[in-house]
Amino acid sequence: MAADSTSTADDTPVRASAAALLHRPKLWLVPTVLCGLLAFLLSLLYMGGIVNPNGELRHLPIAIVNTDQGRPLPGQTTNLGTQITRSVTADTSGKADWQPLTLAQAQDRLTSGKIYGALVVPADFTTTTTALTTANATTRPTLTVVTNPGMGSLGSSLASRITQQAAQQASLAIGEQLMASPATAQADATTRLVLADPVAVATQVGHPIGDHSGLGLSAFYYTLLLVLAGFLGGNVISNGVDTALGYADNEIGPWHTRRPTVPISRTQTLLLKMAMTAGITVLTTTLVMIATVGILGMDASHLPLLWVYSYCASLAVGLGVQAINAAFGGIGQLVSMFVFIVLGLPSSGSTVPLEAVPGFYRFLSTFEPMRQLSVGVRAILFFDARADAGLTRAWIMIAVGAALALLFGLAMTRYYDRKGLQRLTPQPSD
């Protein structure tokens, strides 16, 4: 009998060569399609969220605070502070959501992370401006731009730029009124130059954060650590359990082993993995805090609360990973990567404000885990763990996410078990 292409006449297997296998189109097909698709989607999703924040900027919440108590200029019915407020809130560009607030209201929203900044008109603004046309002038009128670094460096920067532009436009408009006043008709060239653009702009921090807060980005990176700890830990636990129970091979370098298969249902396997995830997350959460707070000195308060929150957040991610892996099998890690990482990063709103990203990412932010978790971390780190700074919503979403993971995972594994869809035929030990 003639020997086939994979064996010799004495039935000794013929080893395949890489050169021969490279000519098989089917070997190329799946890896090529998946790698190309991943590269394309990752490029679209990641860059799509940050490539044009100025062009996508819509309705960034900023306060306008008018405390001006001066009398109106001659011929005017309202003082300059009221005029500035009306002009700013009438802006039709849509870049900012100007919110007229009292000083106390603005400070409360700054400390709860509800606004990115504020423009404050001082009480003596009209009085100081009017004095410029007389010999009694001692200082220039000043508008104050208030920043909120706890909302992230880019968000605070965008708000600062918008408020400074509004202040500059207000200065030019006031300058036109002063130049039209009869009192300035005989002014010298230097005085007229000052009166044409009379308002100075001062910047101050409305809600300070610590020097070791990454310019407001430590909340995002800490959240990323929690998500990665849950994601990577969940996959490591899943693979480790499968190897230990004999449902996956263990290969380290040239060494290959396979343990005897332990007869166990899919549901019981999932429960085992979830229980181990709950236990090991205690260690990973503690180590994350030791590294970030203890060793690196990250500014953080409410440490017991931060640990409990970090544990629950990372655990919810880990449970989600286990449920997805149980439901989707071999491609589960890829699916969970998209759920927790790929779609989560650009829709988190932590690096680029959600008001400055396309609508697709704002939609994702309503349910994507990283957005929900980052708001809670930011509330604890920067906003005194205030419930209305997003902490309440974060706790609710953690509970919802954990419950969904349990329900989805157990529903799928019980369905597979009832259908008799065993993972592998048990192999006896040697």
Side-chain angles (χ1 to χ4, degrees):
M1 183 176 67
D4 58 32
S5 59
T6 60
S7 64
T8 61
D10 59 355
D11 291 332
T12 301
V14 176
R15 294 182 181 274
S17 68
L21 293 175
L22 285 173
H23 292 86
R24 294 187 178 183
K26 290 183 178 180
L27 191 65
W28 287 81
L29 181 60
V30 173
T32 301
V33 170
L34 287 179
C35 289
L37 186 61
L38 282 174
F40 183 70
L41 288 177
L42 287 174
S43 300
L44 282 180
L45 291 170
Y46 281 157
M47 295 304 294
I50 58 94
V51 72
N52 187 23
N54 289 321
E56 299 292 344
L57 185 60
R58 298 290 185 277
H59 310 302
L60 192 72
I62 304 173
I64 173 72
V65 179
N66 176 28
T67 63
D68 191 1
Q69 299 177 358
R71 301 174 65 86
L73 271 64
Q76 301 292 329
T77 58
T78 57
N79 63 23
L80 294 177
T82 302
Q83 293 180 35
I84 292 173
T85 301
R86 289 177 178 175
S87 175
V88 165
T89 54
D91 177 32
T92 58
S93 68
K95 299 292 185 183
D97 175 21
W98 290 102
Q99 302 177 9
L101 302 173
T102 66
L103 194 59
Q105 289 172 333
Q107 188 60 51
D108 181 71
R109 297 196 183 189
L110 286 168
T111 56
S112 62
K114 290 185 169 60
I115 57 176
Y116 284 82
L119 180 62
V120 179
V121 185
D124 62 348
F125 185 76
T126 298
T127 302
T128 306
T129 304
T130 304
L132 291 177
T133 61
T134 70
N136 299 323
T138 56
T139 59
R140 295 177 64 187
T142 302
L143 292 175
T144 302
V145 170
V146 179
T147 63
N148 193 0
M151 299 298 287
S153 55
L154 180 57
S156 182
S157 175
L158 288 171
S160 178
R161 190 193 66 193
I162 291 173
T163 50
Q164 288 179 3
Q165 288 176 346
Q168 180 62 29
Q169 293 172 358
S171 179
L172 295 177
I174 293 170
E176 291 180 359
Q177 294 185 42
L178 295 178
M179 294 297 289
S181 173
T184 63
Q186 304 301 321
D188 56 39
T190 302
T191 301
R192 293 177 65 85
L193 184 62
V194 173
L195 293 178
D197 187 8
V199 179
V201 179
T203 301
Q204 71 178 46
V205 178
H207 180 66
I209 58 176
D211 293 334
H212 292 176
S213 297
L215 299 177
L217 291 177
S218 61
F220 164 71
Y221 283 102
Y222 187 86
T223 303
L224 182 59
L225 286 173
L226 298 181
V227 173
L228 287 175
F231 171 76
L232 295 175
N235 283 311
V236 168
I237 292 169
S238 180
N239 293 334
V241 169
D242 287 345
T243 299
L245 297 182
Y247 290 91
D249 293 349
N250 183 31
E251 187 173 359
I252 302 176
W255 295 280
H256 171 270
T257 59
R258 185 169 191 183
R259 300 180 65 84
T261 303
V262 176
I264 187 173
S265 68
R266 290 176 180 268
T267 300
Q268 290 300 311
T269 303
L270 176 61
L271 290 173
L272 173 62
K273 291 177 179 179
M274 286 185 166
M276 291 182 64
T277 299
I280 293 175
T281 301
V282 173
L283 173 65
T284 58
T285 299
T286 302
L287 291 176
V288 166
M289 287 192 63
I290 289 174
T292 56
V293 181
I295 298 176
L296 298 177
M298 181 186 77
D299 289 318
S301 57
H302 306 283
L303 292 182
L305 173 62
L306 180 62
W307 187 92
V308 173
Y309 180 88
S310 301
Y311 173 79
C312 293
S314 193
L315 176 60
V317 174
L319 295 178
V321 168
Q322 301 298 5
I324 291 173
N325 287 347
F328 293 96
I331 64 170
Q333 295 184 14
L334 189 61
V335 174
S336 60
M337 183 185 74
F338 266 85
V339 171
F340 293 107
I341 309 296
V342 175
L343 297 178
L345 283 172
S347 63
S348 68
S350 299
T351 52
V352 180
L354 292 177
E355 292 83 1
V357 298
F360 171 68
Y361 298 93
R362 290 194 290 273
F363 166 72
L364 289 178
S365 71
T366 59
F367 58 85
E368 263 298 315
M370 194 171 293
R371 169 60 178 173
Q372 323 310 323
L373 301 183
S374 66
V375 171
V377 170
R378 188 174 64 187
I380 295 173
L381 294 183
F382 300 150
F383 301 117
D384 198 30
R386 289 183 52 162
D388 59 348
L391 187 55
T392 297
R393 173 181 169 83
W395 277 120
I396 292 173
M397 295 304 289
I398 287 174
V400 170
L404 287 176
L406 289 169
L407 291 174
F408 175 69
L410 292 175
M412 294 302 296
T413 53
R414 287 176 63 84
Y415 171 77
Y416 294 153
D417 286 338
R418 287 198 301 270
K419 291 292 185 179
L421 301 174
Q422 298 183 15
R423 301 182 66 191
L424 287 174
T425 301
Q427 301 294 321
S429 59
D430 295 333

